[in-house]
Amino acid sequence: MTSFASIAAISLDLDDTLWPFGPAVIRAEQTLHEWLLAQAPRTSTLLTSPQVLGALRTKFEASRPDLSHNLRELRLGSIRMALEMSEEDPALAESAYDAFFAARQRVDFFEDAFPALEWLSARYPLVALSNGNASLKVTGGHHFFKAALNPESTGLAKPDAAIFRAAADAVGCRPEQMLHVGDDADLDIVGALAAGCHAAWLVRGDSVGGVDTAPAWTRGGSAPHLVVRDLYALCRAIDPACPVAKQMPAAAFA
């Protein structure tokens, strides 16, 4: 059994790891919908519900695969599309995006997030590693982290091994000295393992994350070193006497 003695740093996913992603996006698209109806009223014929905005973003993304890692430009492009289709001024897109982005940053942290981050950050340098565009300086919690990486800042996205290696570089350790924690079986776990990192798969009891019912390791890939139900369990795996680890026990760190 490998001990945590070899771990020098921890990277953590954000969406569905520290907070539920779905409610934040629903709230942001509702805010954007209301903004557009108020500031560009002719969009009301097209935007019959906030869900239409999500469908337009998906359509725009399919037409611009070159922007797949640029969430800002994908959202801006879909807003311009809605404005142009409604014969409204596409120059309104920037202000509309600002309203969306501000609402996107209003997240509700899981109850285990801050206690676990406080305990972990006292023992390891932490790196936020996300494919999303949430800003920890706005959401809160940035003081726990030494660095924050995402596709906008690096031009890379999970599961590319290069972004995990960049996370290790950011805190001065080797990939094999880093433990990555995330909810997505393919993006987080397969990506981290391919980069040579240790990996902890977070499978919350309410199944909020991108949990794959047939993860890659069931198809012949490498399995995560650790599976936890919450961040308290991660802390318990590191130290069974951890005072914040008050919920479910972790699996063995293999």
Side-chain angles (χ1 to χ4, degrees):
M1 179 180 292
T2 302
S3 75
F4 277 88
S6 64
I7 301 301
I10 296 176
S11 58
L12 294 105
D13 174 50
L14 298 180
D15 291 322
D16 285 329
T17 295
L18 299 188
W19 56 71
F21 174 64
V25 171
I26 290 170
R27 181 163 49 233
E29 290 190 339
Q30 179 67 47
T31 298
L32 175 58
H33 186 254
E34 292 171 358
W35 192 98
L36 288 168
L37 295 190
Q39 303 299 323
R42 286 194 293 272
T43 60
S44 61
T45 301
L46 172 66
L47 303 179
T48 54
S49 74
Q51 289 71 36
V52 175
L53 290 163
L56 285 175
R57 185 195 175 285
T58 300
K59 180 179 180 180
F60 183 77
E61 182 176 8
S63 72
R64 293 296 306 272
D66 57 308
L67 297 178
S68 61
H69 294 344
N70 193 325
L71 299 184
R72 182 179 187 277
E73 289 303 319
L74 287 174
R75 182 64 66 172
L76 269 173
S78 65
I79 295 171
R80 290 192 192 98
M81 179 188 296
L83 290 166
E84 291 167 354
M85 292 173 68
S86 304
E87 298 184 343
E88 289 280 6
D89 184 359
L92 291 170
E94 292 282 351
S95 295
Y97 178 82
D98 289 343
F100 168 85
F101 187 73
R104 167 68 178 90
Q105 307 309 305
R106 297 200 300 269
V107 299
D108 300 312
F109 282 83
F110 293 117
E111 62 90 17
D112 60 325
F114 274 34
L117 289 173
E118 182 174 7
W119 189 86
L120 291 167
S121 64
R123 289 155 180 81
Y124 302 94
L126 303 183
V127 182
L129 190 56
S130 175
N131 278 5
N133 58 357
S135 169
L136 288 168
K137 290 184 178 179
V138 183
T139 64
H142 70 281
H143 56 289
F144 295 121
F145 291 87
K146 298 297 186 183
L149 281 64
N150 63 20
E152 187 173 348
S153 66
T154 65
L156 304 165
K158 298 179 292 185
D160 189 335
I163 195 169
F164 293 94
R165 294 179 185 131
D169 287 343
V171 288
C173 73
R174 300 187 303 277
E176 62 268 25
Q177 295 176 301
M178 175 165 280
L179 171 67
H180 179 70
V181 183
D183 69 287
D184 191 290
D186 291 319
L187 299 182
D188 289 303
I189 306 309
V190 175
L193 293 172
C197 301
H198 294 278
W201 191 27
L202 178 63
V203 187
R204 290 188 178 274
D206 51 5
S207 299
V208 297
V211 175
D212 186 344
T213 56
W217 49 88
T218 68
R219 304 189 296 270
S222 298
H225 299 84
L226 180 67
V227 178
V228 294
R229 301 292 292 184
D230 55 30
L231 294 176
Y232 291 138
L234 174 67
C235 296
R236 185 183 295 278
I238 294 171
D239 180 358
C242 170
V244 302
K246 62 185 181 182
Q247 294 205 350
M248 296 183 180
F253 189 78

